[in-house]
Amino acid sequence: MMHKISEGLERAFALRGFAEPSVEDLRDAAGVSLRTLYKYTPSRADMVLAAMENRHQRYLSRLFDALPQDHDKALDAVLSRVGNWMETETSHGCLFHAAVAADPGSKPLRALLESHKAEVASKAAAATDLQHADTALLLIIEGLTQTWPLRGDAAIEAAKRLGQALRSQGV
């Protein structure tokens, strides 16, 4: 049940932002009664956290599941997948940053943002055999996320060139 609720909440927040959807809108998106929604997510803050935890898992799966074994190809695949995520899931930037911007005082949201980005960096470094370049890889991925709405496929190709330059430096 929680998975169904989290998926619906994620869709609602991704489509309409964090301030606009009413509790009734969120209930409808989750496909449950108001009582059930509040049973699993007793507050709006809990609803946002549930949505973002669901998004975290989906994002990691989309980027890192079944990558090529070749590290160069894995790097290109991860960056292509970021572009695909932007095209199909969100065309306006990172929902994690948007969640924190909507509630800047939320320590749980800030912690989730930090752990999400750390896990993305760690998985990218492991998949590409660039373990000592996790921050640089995160910078490339984050730059792609922010630039894709403006430049689309050109941003993906630029990110790939930066990734290959990073690899060629032997970092």
Side-chain angles (χ1 to χ4, degrees):
M1 180 62 69
M2 186 61 193
H3 182 70
K4 175 186 174 185
I5 291 170
S6 297
E7 283 182 334
L9 293 172
E10 179 196 344
R11 279 191 308 275
F13 290 129
L15 288 171
R16 300 183 60 198
F18 294 96
E20 184 184 326
S22 68
V23 174
E24 290 77 18
D25 294 333
L26 296 173
R27 173 204 63 209
D28 293 347
V32 296
S33 69
L34 197 55
R35 181 180 179 151
T36 301
L37 179 62
Y38 277 121
K39 175 183 174 185
Y40 288 93
T41 54
S43 69
R44 190 176 191 91
D46 291 322
M47 292 176 199
V48 171
L49 281 172
M52 298 313 297
E53 287 168 358
N54 188 73
R55 191 162 188 95
H56 169 71
Q57 293 305 319
R58 284 191 335 100
Y59 187 75
L60 291 179
S61 179
R62 177 82 69 89
L63 262 56
F64 300 111
D65 284 0
L67 282 172
Q69 293 299 308
D70 177 90
H71 296 129
D72 289 334
K73 290 179 182 174
L75 178 59
D76 281 356
V78 167
L79 296 172
S80 291
R81 290 173 183 189
V82 171
N84 179 264
W85 176 270
M86 295 302 297
E87 185 175 355
T88 61
E89 299 287 335
T90 181
S91 61
H92 51 271
C94 177
L95 196 62
F96 287 90
H97 285 291
V100 170
D103 189 1
S106 171
K107 289 181 182 175
L109 268 179
R110 169 60 78 178
L112 182 58
L113 167 68
E114 290 175 8
S115 86
H116 170 72
K117 298 303 181 181
E119 194 165 351
V120 168
S122 173
K123 285 184 172 292
T128 61
D129 196 32
L130 292 168
Q131 284 82 359
H132 300 294
D134 59 333
T135 299
L137 287 166
L138 183 61
L139 183 65
I140 292 168
I141 291 168
E142 289 294 292
L144 174 53
T145 301
Q146 293 303 110
T147 307
W148 188 91
L150 303 171
R151 301 292 170 97
D153 289 343
I156 297 168
E157 294 309 313
K160 287 179 180 180
R161 287 191 301 277
L162 288 171
Q164 293 307 325
L166 183 64
R167 174 168 296 295
S168 71
Q169 291 177 355
V171 174

